[in-house]
């Protein structure tokens, strides 16, 4: 709520008591007061007394006529006093009656005064003619109220409880009787369904409780409205708006009602404005406000929004407030207090403002201007108040001066100097008079520009320096121009003005001449120039708005405008200088001027901000708008488009960040948007920033964003063009990057390189555009473009147009490649268009295989098969040529082409044709090439009598139909075995079974089933009949086998165990039984077989190999390992060392494959057996030392080789002797001399061994102990400790070391490899050396090549328990 400013206070001008006031109508320069001192005082609007009229008695009434020229005064006599405001004189008028005058009222349309008397008589006085019409007996009692309407009907109310309605001559037209005395009679218009017009309703308060409405058009149906009792009595009422009434009640209530016949009496608004009592209500239609007074307050409401109290005036020092009254213009509100004092408030002033740079001037009171100097620190916006000589009608402010004025006079103040003898009052520099009433006045540092009478006078504010007299003053227009200047603006360098003929002219002050001019289609109503003076927004006579850039001459339409424009303000912050606002009474609309972008210059509307009523935006800085309020104060509004004025975003809230980001983009604040994007970190927001930046040619920021988006292609493309100085060319490239090719072409054509537009259209394959551009700027390019256009048209199927463009492309002196392409296109499109002869001739002329193929395809599609086939042959496409010949049944040509054809389809068609001709050999060959093997088999059997070829073909191709044909052929020859086989191959198993049963060949049938068919093709049901047959024949082995294949495992086991009891079938039956257990995974069957193998059923244990096989089949590897050890030991005892080796190796691999630890015993036995096998390898190569070392390892475990103790020891002695290991040879020779071994020594070695024993190694001369040469030491692969190379246990780290499968020594980590077949370790160098003489692995006996051996890493560990 605002507090109204006190203009002045009159302290009890008529003494202590009631005070009455009447404002002058019209200008409102005077008001009259009266009170208990029997006088009438007349004051001006500033509270200065102009006249005091003494009365013989108390004043009974006073009122101003409708123009405010005459004040009428009556008192307790029969005399009328009139005071003329213009002449400031009073006169006394005799009205022709001798009664005491009690009431007076002026007519609304003429200076006619009706005066009522205490006896009910009336006199009507016309001031213009001085005519008096006394009317006797109008009422029987005192006349106490009355009113005129605009049609000069007079209504009077009297204490006789009647209302009389008379004409201007006093003739009574109607009398209305009331139930009580009338008070406050008024004329107005009541709302009806059909508008009658005129003031047709008399309203009056009756008995202080009801409101009586009497409609002159419907006199029979008056309306009397009563109100709620707690409201109190009716104090007063006022009509407003379209038939609405405001009523004040003594209880402080204040209500609004409608007089529409359907709403009459209905309360539209109700409020208790005053706690104790309400004393008066005043309405001002000029400013659409209503004031109510009561207690010691005055409350003001806006008639357009009664719900809100806009202003409250507290007179806390007063006992009470009796009356309120508005001046006619609503600027001043007079308040009469209970004690007889008068306060006059400035409630509404003309909003006079002026802005120059950061300085703002606002009319803050009738004769007072407040000056503000804007700074970003709003707390420092303290006004400097300047008191004026008079109430101004215009003001203007400059950097150093203030100008105020009225009519044709202006007073200029120097704001830099003070008035003598004052501290802060600015110096009044001069008073100026102009040749007409001043409309507006603008100032800069040196000049004042004054608009009056359609002209501008620009003059220096202070006396010019010497030499500048010619620039002291100038009047525009300087010549006898026909136009009238309507608006102007003064900047530091320019005077800018607009005319009613559409001129906008820039006058350069320094040059003292016009510098720029723009002519608009219609008159200019107003201009608003930006702080730099280079751009302005203007409004024309049609209320259209435009932006004019004086630098480049751009004129842009501002769209989406408010319905009415109050003003325009430009942004003062240099970083946002392209932003401006347009405002009306209720809203501010923000716009952005885009000076240059890919889409050209434009003005974009950014948003709308609500404006508090009666505020005028003066200055905008960074989205903060400084507004002038009605009280002459400043307020600031933050635009909704600038909610974060500086955009220093610290809040990570997603919604706030997104909102700020959107506003930053709209305002083109790209640096701020970059910071916000970093917080949002969203691909979508980065992309929007990139698009906006690149569209507005902010290339540095665009490149940075595209790098964040990892869109390298766009970033590099922009970097490539950003150094281009020609802005239009640059804009063209950017538009092209954005795929806006039409805009790109427009920019290119305006640029310094218009040919770029042609290059772009060619690159885009937009040949229509390219041809149009080429005709204008590059005619030499037309043939090439025509060729490329023709290629595109041909591709899209528009062959006739393509043909024409290919012909256009054929011109002399063009490159051979270009000519060839055009002629090729002519050949193709001519054929497609039906001009076969021309197209074929051109193709033959060019003689190109690719073109032949293309034309052949087109000819084939056009059913021109002969020509197509010929062209296919020329193109070496024999298959397509053959297809064309086939369609023509030209088999001779097809046959000629067959050697060059691989197509099965063609060979098949040819074969069928040859078969029909009876040429079976040719047919068979083509059927074979076409892989139609059934037909080949049929021809070989039926016509060519080559059954061997047919049989081989069936076995090779597995053809079912072919097998049936062969089976039938053999059945005819009574070769039932072959017939059965081919019936099985043809999946005719039932027929094969019957044939085998008839000819007693079921065992053959079973073998064929098992051996011929794959696992996927075997069906268990096929074996049921076989199993039953052999079961009946008591052939338990075959019955068990076929029950097994039919997956009936219990029956299979029973029959196989019965078969195993016969020694002849034992091994085969047990082997099959093991397969049954493995396939069935049945514990019961497994236990049954184990019991049989252990001899629990018949007391005869079976060969352990069977148990080993069973464990392996059941994947019981630990048990299998134990069995393997037992088997290997038996084989070893029996001297079958290779068998034992293979059993252990196989078990070792199986355990390792399944991730099971290998038992140490198995590993040791395998190493011993492998060492023994290596002896022969080393001896054969002549490496006796390695052989001796391996034999020593075996001899040390000789008990595990009982069958060959003597031969092994003999070999050990011999090899040790050869390797010069004398002590070892002597040791083992001594063992052989034991009686149990000596007799078994081979005679040919006996003497040699005895000689070794007889001649033991002699001690050295120094008496040292006799020893063999020391074995070579190599490092342990685990701990690097040195140990003999054949030791496989490291005593230092207590680790078993893997042995080399080539040498038998322990492995060396620096020279390590694995056999690629068995994954056993070996010394790489030794393995490669061994493979030079043999190509198999000594462990797994698989073939190897040395290139497959690779050096392995060190971390190789044994998988041994």
């Amino acid at each position: 709520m605002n507090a109204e400013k006190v203009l002045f206070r009159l302290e009890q001008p008529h003494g202590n008591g009631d005070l009455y006031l009447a404002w002058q109508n019209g200008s409102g320069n005077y008001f009259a007061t009266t009170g208990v001192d029997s006088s009438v005082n007349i004051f001006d609007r500033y509270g200065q007394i102009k006249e005091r009229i003494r009365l013989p008695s108390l004043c009974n009434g006073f009122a101003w006529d409708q123009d405010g020229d005459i004040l009428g005064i009556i008192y307790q006599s029969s005399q009328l006093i009139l005071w003329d405001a213009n002449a400031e004189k009073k006169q006394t008028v005799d009205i022709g009656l001798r009664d005491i005058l009690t009431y007076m009222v002026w007519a609304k349309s003429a200076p006619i005064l009706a005066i009522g008397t205490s006896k009910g008589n009336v006199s009507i006085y016309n001031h213009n003619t001085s005519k008096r019409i006394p009317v006797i007996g109008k009422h029987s009692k005192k006349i106490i109220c009355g009113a005129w309407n605009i049609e000069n009907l007079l209504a009077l109310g009297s204490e006789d409880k009647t209302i009389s309605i008379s004409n201007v001559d006093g003739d009574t037209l109607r009398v209305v009787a009331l139930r009580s005395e009338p008070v406050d009679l008024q004329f107005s218009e009541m709302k009806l369904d059909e508008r009658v017009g005129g003031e047709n309703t008399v309203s009056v308060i009756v008995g202080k409780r009801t409101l009586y409405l009497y409609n002159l058009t419907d006199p029979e149906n008056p309306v009397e409205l009563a109100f709620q009792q707690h409201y109190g009595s009716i104090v007063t009422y006022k009509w407003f708006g379209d038939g609405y009434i405001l009523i004040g009640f003594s209880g402080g209530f204040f209500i609004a009602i409608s007089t529409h016949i359907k709403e009459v009496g209905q309360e539209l608004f109700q409020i208790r404005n005053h706690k104790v009592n309400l004393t008066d209500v005043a309405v001002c239609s000029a400013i659409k406000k209503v004031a109510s007074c009561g207690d010691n307050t005055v409350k003001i409401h806006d008639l357009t929004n009664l719900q809100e109290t806009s202003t409250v005036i507290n007179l806390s020092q007063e006992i009470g407030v009796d009356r309120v009254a508005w001046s006619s213009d609503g600027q001043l509100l007079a308040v009469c207090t209970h004690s007889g004092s008068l306060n006059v408030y400035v409630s509404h002033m003309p909003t006079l403002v002026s802005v120059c740079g950061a300085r703002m001037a606002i009319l803050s009171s009738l004769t007072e201007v407040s000056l503000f100097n804007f700074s970003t620190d709003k707390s420092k916006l303290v006004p400097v108040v300047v008191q004026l000589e008079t109430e101004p009608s215009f003001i203007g402010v400059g950097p150093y001066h203030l100008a105020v004025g009225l009519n044709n006079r202006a007073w200029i103040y120097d704001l830099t100097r003070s008035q003598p003898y004052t501290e802060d009052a600015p110096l009044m520099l001069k008073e100026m008079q102009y040749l007409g009433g001043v409309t507006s006045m603008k100032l800069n540092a040196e000049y004042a520009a004054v608009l009056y009478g359609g002209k501008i006078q620009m003059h220096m504010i202070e006396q010019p320096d010497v030499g500048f007299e010619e620039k002291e003053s100038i009047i525009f227009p300087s010549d006898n121009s026909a136009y009238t200047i309507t608006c102007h603006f003064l900047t530091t360098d320019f005077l800018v003005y607009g005319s009613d003929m559409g001129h906008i002219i820039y006058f350069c002050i320094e040059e003292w001449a016009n510098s720029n001019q723009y002519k608009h289609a219609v008159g200019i109503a107003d201009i608003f120039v930006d702080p730099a003076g280079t751009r302005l927004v203007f409004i024309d006579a049609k209320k259209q708005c435009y932006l004019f850039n004086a630098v480049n001459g751009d004129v842009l339409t501002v769209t989406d405008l408010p319905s009415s424009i109050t003003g325009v303000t430009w942004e003062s912050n240099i970083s946002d200088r392209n932003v401006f606002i347009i405002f009306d009474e209720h809203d501010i609309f923000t716009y952005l001027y885009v000076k240059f972008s890919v889409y050209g210059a434009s003005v974009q509307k950014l948003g709308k901000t609500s404006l508090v009523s009666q505020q005028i935006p003066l200055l905008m800085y960074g989205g903060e708008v400084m507004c002038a309020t009605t009280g002459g104060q400043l307020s600031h509004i933050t635009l909704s488009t600038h909610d974060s004025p500086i955009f220093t975003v610290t809040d990570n809230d997603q919604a706030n960040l997104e909102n700020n980001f959107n506003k930053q983009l709209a305002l083109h604040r790209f640096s701020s948007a970059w910071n916000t994007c970093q917080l949002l970190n969203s691909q979508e927001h980065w992309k929007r920033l990139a698009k906006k930046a690149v569209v507005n040619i902010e290339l540095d920021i665009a490149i940075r964003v595209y790098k964040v988006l990892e869109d390298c292609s766009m970033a590099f493309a922009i970097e490539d063009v950003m150094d281009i100085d020609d802005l239009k060319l640059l804009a063209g490239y950017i538009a092209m990057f954005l795929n806006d090719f039409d805009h790109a072409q427009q920019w290119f054509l305006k640029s310094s390189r218009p040919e770029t537009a042609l290059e772009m259209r060619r690159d885009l394959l937009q040949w229509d555009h390219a041809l149009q551009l080429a005709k204008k700027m590059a005619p030499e390019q037309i043939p090439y473009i025509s060729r490329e256009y023709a290629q595109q048209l041909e591709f899209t199927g528009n062959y006739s147009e393509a043909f024409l463009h290919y012909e256009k492309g054929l011109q002399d002196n063009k490159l051979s490649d270009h000519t060839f392409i055009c002629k090729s296109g002519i050949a193709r499109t001519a054929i497609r268009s039906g001009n076969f002869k021309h197209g074929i001739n051109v193709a033959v002329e060019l003689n190109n295989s690719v073109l032949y193929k293309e034309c052949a395809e087109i000819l084939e599609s056009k059913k021109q098969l002969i020509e197509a086939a010929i062209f296919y042959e020329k193109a070496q496409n024999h298959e397509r040529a053959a297809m064309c010949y086939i369609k023509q049944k030209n088999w001779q040509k097809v046959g000629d082409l067959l050697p060059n054809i691989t197509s099965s389809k063609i060979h098949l068609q040819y074969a069928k044709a040859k078969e029909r001709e009876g040429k079976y050999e040719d047919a068979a060959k083509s059927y074979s090439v076409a892989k139609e093997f059934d037909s080949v088999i049929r021809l070989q059997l039926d016509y060519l009598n080559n059954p061997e070829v047919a049989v081989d073909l069936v076995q090779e191709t597995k053809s079912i139909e072919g097998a049936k044909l062969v089976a039938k052929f053999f059945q005819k020859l009574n070769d039932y075995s072959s017939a059965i086989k081919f019936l099985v191959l043809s999946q005719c198993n039932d027929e094969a079974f019957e044939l085998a049963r008839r000819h007693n060949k079921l065992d053959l049938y079973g073998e064929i089933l098992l051996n011929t068919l794959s696992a996927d093709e075997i069906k268990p049901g096929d074996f049921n009949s076989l199993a039953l047959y052999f079961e009946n024949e008591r052939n338990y082995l075959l019955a068990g086998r076929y029950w097994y294949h039919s997956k009936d495992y219990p029956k299979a086991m029973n029959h196989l165990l019965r078969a195993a009891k016969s020694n002849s079938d034992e091994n085969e039956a047990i082997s099959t039984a093991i397969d049954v257990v493995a396939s069935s995974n049945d514990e019961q069957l497994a236990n049954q077989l184990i019991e049989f193998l252990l001899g629990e059923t018949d007391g005869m244990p079976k060969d352990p190999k069977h148990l080993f096989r069973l464990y392996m089949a059941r994947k019981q590897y630990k048990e299998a390992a134990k069995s393997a050890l037992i088997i290997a030991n038996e084989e070893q005892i029996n001297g079958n060392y290779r068998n034992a080796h293979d059993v252990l190796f196989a078990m070792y691999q199986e355990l390792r494959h399944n991730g099971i630890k290998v038992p140490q015993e198995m590993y040791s036995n395998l190493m011993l057996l492998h060492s023994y096998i290596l002896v022969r390898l080393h001896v054969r190569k002549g490496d006796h030392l390695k052989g001796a070392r391996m034999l020593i390892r075996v001899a040390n475990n000789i008990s595990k080789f009982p069958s060959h103790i003597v031969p092994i020891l003999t070999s050990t002695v011999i090899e040790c002797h050869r390797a010069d290991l004398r002590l070892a040879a002597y040791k083992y020779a001594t063992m052989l001399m034991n009686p149990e071994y000596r007799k078994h020594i081979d005679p040919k070695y006996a003497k040699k061994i005895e000689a070794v024993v007889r001649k033991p190694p002699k001690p050295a001369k120094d008496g040292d102990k006799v020893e063999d040469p020391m074995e070579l030491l190599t490092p342990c692969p685990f701990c690097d400790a040195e140990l003999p190379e054949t030791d496989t246990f490291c005593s230092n780290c207590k680790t078993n070391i893997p042995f080399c499968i080539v040498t038998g020594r322990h492995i060396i980590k620096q020279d390590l490899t694995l056999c690629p077949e068995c994954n056993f370790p070996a010394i790489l160098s030794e393995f490669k050396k061994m493979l030079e003489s043999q190509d198999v692995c000594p462990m797994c006996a698989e073939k190897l090549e040395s290139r497959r051996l690779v050096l392995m890493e060190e971390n190789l560990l044994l998988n041994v328990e």
Side-chain angles (χ1 to χ4, degrees), residues 235-487:
V235 174
T236 185
Y237 70 97
K238 304 292 179 183
W239 288 82
F240 77 99
D242 190 13
Y244 297 101
I245 302 176
L246 285 168
I247 307 173
F249 294 89
S250 61
F253 288 93
F254 182 49
I255 71 169
I257 63 170
S258 171
T259 60
H260 193 284
I261 198 64
K262 294 179 180 178
E263 303 171 344
V264 67
Q266 181 179 341
E267 292 185 13
L268 306 178
F269 160 76
Q270 180 262 359
I271 191 172
R272 188 168 189 179
N273 256 1
H274 307 280
K275 291 183 180 179
V276 179
N277 67 343
L278 180 148
T279 55
D280 197 9
V281 173
V283 170
C284 181
S285 57
I287 61 172
K288 296 181 180 179
K289 287 189 176 181
V290 57
S292 71
C293 63
D295 305 336
N296 59 354
T297 61
V298 177
K299 293 188 178 181
I300 300 174
H301 298 259
D302 196 319
L303 288 176
T304 59
N305 185 10
L306 290 168
Q307 303 290 341
E308 292 186 11
T309 303
S310 60
T311 308
V312 176
I313 301 173
N314 284 305
L315 291 88
S316 55
Q317 75 280 9
E318 299 291 343
I319 301 171
V321 179
D322 289 347
R323 291 167 198 85
V324 288
W326 298 96
S327 63
S328 57
D329 56 10
Q331 290 186 15
L332 303 180
L333 175 65
V335 179
C336 301
T337 69
H338 191 64
S339 62
S341 295
L342 174 66
N343 288 4
V344 176
Y345 296 89
V346 179
S347 64
H348 176 76
M349 288 185 303
T351 308
L352 297 182
V353 296
S354 181
V355 180
C356 180
R359 194 182 293 278
M360 295 167 281
I362 308 172
L363 183 66
S364 53
S365 187
L366 294 182
T367 58
E368 178 183 287
V369 171
S370 294
L371 293 173
F372 296 88
N373 208 19
F374 175 78
S375 70
T376 52
D377 183 2
K378 300 177 189 62
S379 62
K380 296 180 181 179
L381 292 177
V382 179
V384 175
V385 178
V386 180
Q387 298 295 333
L388 308 178
E389 300 295 323
T390 185
E391 184 177 343
S393 61
F394 63 87
I395 63 174
V397 70
Y400 313 114
H401 301 91
L402 170 69
V404 299
L406 179 67
N407 298 329
N408 67 333
R409 299 173 67 192
W411 292 265
I412 300 177
Y413 295 84
D414 188 337
L415 301 177
T416 62
R417 290 181 281 175
S418 298
Q419 196 76 19
Y421 312 112
T422 63
E423 291 184 5
D424 55 357
L427 175 67
M428 210 262 287
L429 199 62
K430 63 170 68 174
E431 179 182 346
M432 297 288 296
Q433 286 194 359
Y434 301 101
L435 301 177
V438 176
T439 305
S440 67
M441 190 170 182
K442 308 291 183 182
L443 309 178
N444 65 13
E446 297 178 340
Y447 286 89
V450 185
L451 175 63
Y452 58 85
K455 296 180 180 293
I456 292 176
Q457 179 180 345
M458 186 173 73
H459 61 83
M460 280 191 169
I461 297 172
E462 300 188 37
Q463 193 67 27
D465 296 334
V466 177
F468 287 90
E469 292 83 358
E470 73 277 5
K471 294 184 180 181
E472 180 179 1
S473 180
I474 188 171
I475 294 178
F476 302 93
S478 56
D479 53 7
N480 296 322
S481 301
Y483 61 78
T484 299
I485 297 175
T486 56
C487 50

Side-chain angles (χ1 to χ4, degrees), residues 535-608:
R535 294 170 295 182
L536 59 85
V537 172
F538 68 88
I539 301 166
D540 66 12
K542 293 183 178 180
K543 297 185 179 179
Q544 298 298 309
C545 187
Y546 301 88
L547 185 143
F548 173 60
N549 187 331
V551 176
N552 57 23
D554 281 349
V555 178
L556 304 173
T557 303
V558 181
T559 58
D560 201 5
L561 296 167
S563 56
S564 63
I565 298 176
T566 305
V568 177
T569 300
W570 285 87
E571 172 65 68
S572 299
N573 188 348
I574 191 68
S575 62
D576 288 332
R577 64 187 299 258
N578 294 323
V579 178
F580 63 91
I581 58 173
I582 297 176
F583 52 90
D584 60 12
E585 293 181 356
H586 308 292
D587 298 297
I588 298 174
F589 300 86
T590 308
Y591 295 85
L592 175 72
Y593 169 44
V594 181
K595 184 178 178 181
F596 191 82
S597 77
V598 167
Y599 304 116
S602 64
V603 176
Q604 299 170 1
K605 183 178 179 181
L606 303 185
K608 180 175 79 170

Side-chain angles (χ1 to χ4, degrees), residues 904-917:
S904 299
K905 183 178 178 182
I906 294 172
H907 278 281
L908 183 60
Q909 288 179 295
Y910 182 75
K912 288 179 179 178
K914 288 300 174 183
E915 185 178 354
R916 285 194 294 272
E917 293 175 4

Side-chain angles (χ1 to χ4, degrees), residues 209-213 223-227 234 245 257-258 264-265:
R209 283 291 179 182
T210 62
L211 183 64
Y212 187 85
L213 303 177
V223 176
E224 189 168 4
L225 303 175
F227 302 94
I234 300 174
I245 302 176
I257 63 170
S258 171
V264 67

Side-chain angles (χ1 to χ4, degrees), residues 536-813:
L536 59 85
V537 172
F538 68 88
I539 301 166
D540 66 12
K542 293 183 178 180
K543 297 185 179 179
Q544 298 298 309
C545 187
Y546 301 88
L547 185 143
F548 173 60
N549 187 331
V551 176
N552 57 23
D554 281 349
V555 178
L556 304 173
T557 303
V558 181
T559 58
D560 201 5
L561 296 167
S563 56
S564 63
I565 298 176
T566 305
V568 177
T569 300
W570 285 87
E571 172 65 68
S572 299
N573 188 348
I574 191 68
S575 62
D576 288 332
R577 64 187 299 258
N578 294 323
V579 178
F580 63 91
I581 58 173
I582 297 176
F583 52 90
D584 60 12
E585 293 181 356
H586 308 292
D587 298 297
I588 298 174
F589 300 86
T590 308
Y591 295 85
L592 175 72
Y593 169 44
V594 181
K595 184 178 178 181
F596 191 82
S597 77
V598 167
Y599 304 116
S602 64
V603 176
Q604 299 170 1
K605 183 178 179 181
L606 303 185
K608 180 175 79 170
T609 306
S610 294
L611 181 64
V612 178
S613 67
Q614 298 181 353
Q615 290 197 357
I616 297 178
L618 300 180
L619 182 142
M620 176 169 61
Y621 187 90
E624 294 277 340
V625 179
M626 300 294 113
C627 298
T629 65
T630 53
Q633 299 298 313
L634 272 185
S635 67
H636 70 275
I637 297 172
T638 300
L639 296 175
S640 62
T641 51
H642 297 66
D643 277 352
S644 295
I646 310 173
F647 289 104
T648 52
V649 181
T650 56
D651 185 4
N652 284 328
D653 180 73
Q654 188 75 11
N656 289 341
L657 287 173
E658 288 189 8
N659 188 31
N660 277 339
F661 176 73
N662 293 334
K663 291 172 182 176
Q664 290 159 353
L665 272 196
L667 288 165
H668 293 187
R669 291 179 167 180
F670 295 108
S671 297
S672 301
W674 166 273
N675 296 331
T676 307
C677 257
Q678 287 182 315
L679 296 173
L680 287 166
N681 197 23
S682 157
Q683 286 283 315
E684 177 194 349
H685 293 92
W686 283 118
K687 287 178 181 176
R688 287 178 56 200
L689 175 57
K691 176 76 179 293
K692 196 80 171 179
V694 79
V695 163
N696 289 281
I697 321 296
E698 294 287 343
L699 300 186
D700 289 329
I701 196 90
I703 290 170
R704 288 170 61 196
V705 178
Y706 279 120
K707 287 180 179 178
V708 171
L709 289 169
E710 298 181 357
D711 189 347
C712 300
S713 60
M714 196 68 173
F716 290 151
I718 295 172
E719 283 180 347
D720 287 344
V721 301
M722 68 182 298
D723 292 332
I724 294 174
D725 294 329
D726 185 343
L727 261 183
K728 294 175 181 177
L729 182 60
L730 176 62
Y733 278 116
I734 297 299
M736 184 175 70
F737 297 157
L738 295 172
N739 297 327
D740 191 344
F741 305 117
D742 291 338
H743 273 100
Q745 177 174 315
Q746 292 172 16
W747 286 117
F748 285 142
L749 293 176
K750 294 175 185 176
S751 74
S752 57
R753 288 193 72 250
E755 63 272 14
T756 313
L758 175 59
E759 294 168 6
M760 178 190 72
R761 292 299 185 183
R762 288 185 69 172
D763 292 340
L764 291 170
L765 309 183
Q766 295 175 348
W767 306 112
D768 275 337
H769 294 286
L771 278 174
Q772 292 171 12
L773 292 170
K775 288 175 185 176
K776 297 176 183 177
M777 63 179 67
E780 72 279 359
Q781 293 293 319
I782 290 177
Y784 301 107
I785 296 172
S786 295
R787 180 198 75 202
E788 292 170 318
Y789 190 17
Q791 288 174 314
Q792 183 181 7
L793 290 168
E794 182 183 4
F795 179 75
T796 56
N798 193 345
Y799 303 116
S800 56
E801 285 288 325
F803 177 81
L804 294 175
H805 282 285
Y806 275 129
E807 288 200 323
K808 284 181 185 176
L810 271 182
Q811 288 188 5
D812 295 336
N813 303 322

